[in-house]
Amino acid sequence: MMIHFILPGDTLENIAKKIGLENSVHLKDFHNQHCLKEDLIIDDLIPGKKLLLPDLAKIKAYNDKNDAPFKSPELNPKISFDPVGFNEKFKIAIKETSNEAGKTVDKSFSYIASLEWKKNELGEHLFHFTKDQFSNQNETKMESLAIESMRPLYPIEVFVNAKGEILRIALKKEILNNFNQIKGKLLDLFPDKYAKIYLEEFEYAVLNAHIFDEKMKEDWFLKNYFSSFRDPFENGKSFFELNLDKTLLNVQQTVKLTDNKEEILLHQTLKSKEENQNDFTVNVTVSKNDGMIRSLNLSYSYNEFSALNISEFSIENI
């Protein structure tokens, strides 16, 4: 047994944390079991009075009860991945803001994403992914070309593992077989030399499976929807890595308790954040039934070449 003299600002919670006791309730119980009657803790701690602390063996015995609030099943859910029969549409909205020397530039973009489960073969789930109904606030000719170039490639095949993580992304064989016709129609639609240069590069990426796979894995919908957020929780937290704008982020995930028995609300932040470092905050709603995302709201800010860049990204099931 140890003795601690209570200081102003001391709480059972912060003292328990200092001595490695997971559930501060046991600190109060231990003290009251061993102290004099006049030293009983009823409500708040009183500065100047003694607080009796358990020794290491007793702390371990308390921790072995696994009854700390952060160890509750609700805060440590097992997020399944059972997409069989899944076929949903989502409204995707993206807003990018750049601020440099007091000058702010905004760009917004939205589209409808369709995600359809097709089959499970040899432990791999195959989805068909499609984008449609594009809306671009700052539409340019090259952006229109990029959209129209991708349109005939859909649906794209997305292969994921049993945990819901992307393995590879590919085009259907019939799309590849008909690509010359697709390119010819695009050249007719955009008959200028700049479009021709773009389409030559586009053809190279499309016909090289590895390059196409790597480029598609940068898609914000796919990388967030099929990230490793379903990794196991321990002590109220889970951790995974996410690559955004070619920056590898170490993400910490916790659960926000709600009254909704059909969904899990996840809150994601950076595992550790230092001054002037990137900032990252995400709220995700996941179905308890199949482990599929129903909604996601992401905010990501970073500094590059003295400019502050902010990306806002959302997924809403429709």
Side-chain angles (χ1 to χ4, degrees):
M1 184 187 304
M2 299 173 284
I3 298 175
H4 170 77
F5 288 93
I6 300 170
L7 301 173
D10 273 350
T11 65
L12 290 172
E13 289 75 15
N14 62 33
I15 295 173
K17 187 175 182 180
K18 288 179 181 177
I19 66 174
L21 179 62
E22 294 175 346
N23 192 343
S24 61
V25 168
H26 297 307
L27 185 55
K28 180 179 178 179
D29 291 344
F30 178 85
H31 173 86
N32 286 345
Q33 288 172 14
H34 296 85
C35 71
L36 299 174
K37 185 176 181 180
E38 58 269 23
D39 290 328
L40 286 173
I41 296 175
I42 306 301
D43 295 310
D44 297 330
L45 299 182
I46 300 175
K49 299 197 72 172
K50 295 178 182 179
L51 177 67
L52 304 180
L53 306 180
D55 59 23
L56 293 177
K58 190 63 176 178
I59 290 172
K60 182 180 184 306
Y62 282 138
N63 288 346
D64 287 344
K65 294 176 179 289
N66 287 320
D67 60 355
F70 61 78
K71 289 189 172 183
S72 71
E74 292 80 11
L75 294 179
N76 296 275
K78 293 182 179 179
I79 305 176
S80 63
F81 181 66
D82 183 18
V84 176
F86 187 82
N87 186 8
E88 298 287 344
K89 293 182 183 293
F90 301 88
K91 174 69 178 292
I92 311 303
I94 302 171
K95 181 180 179 182
E96 298 177 342
T97 302
S98 178
N99 189 311
E100 184 175 10
K103 183 180 180 181
T104 301
V105 177
D106 290 326
K107 181 180 179 181
S108 61
F109 184 74
S110 66
Y111 61 89
I112 302 299
S114 300
L115 194 61
E116 180 181 7
W117 180 88
K118 302 301 291 186
K119 64 179 179 179
N120 181 1
E121 192 170 80
L122 300 177
E124 295 182 0
H125 292 278
L126 169 62
F127 288 86
H128 278 181
F129 173 62
T130 302
K131 291 183 179 181
D132 200 5
Q133 300 181 39
F134 297 89
S135 174
N136 190 347
Q137 176 181 300
N138 302 309
E139 187 171 334
T140 66
K141 186 173 182 178
M142 291 307 293
E143 288 171 336
S144 296
L145 173 58
I147 290 171
E148 292 304 321
S149 298
M150 287 298 300
R151 198 184 299 275
L153 303 186
Y154 297 118
I156 290 169
E157 295 184 327
V158 181
F159 296 86
V160 306
N161 62 20
K163 293 173 59 179
E165 302 163 326
I166 290 182
L167 296 172
R168 63 189 182 281
I169 302 173
L171 289 168
K172 297 174 68 176
K173 290 182 180 179
E174 51 265 41
I175 298 295
L176 290 170
N177 293 338
N178 295 326
F179 186 75
N180 285 336
Q181 296 167 295
I182 293 171
K183 181 184 176 184
K185 291 180 180 179
L186 289 169
L187 287 170
D188 291 339
L189 191 61
F190 297 92
D192 65 71
K193 63 178 182 180
Y194 299 107
K196 184 177 180 181
I197 294 172
Y198 176 89
L199 290 172
E200 291 294 332
E201 295 176 351
F202 179 69
E203 179 180 25
Y204 179 76
V206 166
L207 298 183
N208 287 268
H210 175 71
I211 295 176
F212 184 79
D213 172 65
E214 291 301 313
K215 285 186 174 294
M216 287 305 303
K217 283 178 179 175
E218 290 302 310
D219 182 272
W220 275 51
F221 175 87
L222 293 176
K223 71 168 59 179
N224 279 281
Y225 205 94
F226 294 113
S227 72
S228 301
F229 75 89
R230 300 177 185 86
D231 283 353
F233 279 78
E234 184 176 353
N235 295 339
K237 297 178 182 179
S238 71
F239 303 92
F240 65 96
E241 294 180 340
L242 181 67
N243 200 315
L244 282 185
D245 289 333
K246 298 181 180 179
T247 300
L248 186 64
L249 303 179
N250 291 306
V251 180
Q252 171 182 287
Q253 183 170 247
T254 57
V255 173
K256 287 187 173 181
L257 297 179
T258 72
D259 294 330
N260 193 322
K261 303 301 181 183
E262 305 299 322
E263 297 176 340
I264 301 170
L265 180 57
L266 303 172
H267 181 64
Q268 300 170 358
T269 56
L270 293 177
K271 182 179 178 181
S272 61
K273 182 179 181 299
E274 298 176 1
E275 190 176 357
N276 298 322
Q277 198 179 37
N278 299 346
D279 198 7
F280 174 84
T281 304
V282 188
N283 289 308
V284 187
T285 301
V286 179
S287 169
K288 284 186 178 180
N289 182 46
D290 55 20
M292 304 298 282
I293 291 175
R294 299 304 179 188
S295 69
L296 179 148
N297 289 281
L298 177 154
S299 177
Y300 174 55
S301 63
Y302 60 96
N303 289 285
E304 185 178 42
F305 305 121
S306 73
L308 174 63
N309 300 279
I310 302 173
S311 296
E312 298 175 359
F313 175 75
S314 67
I315 299 173
E316 293 295 334
N317 195 201
I318 57 176

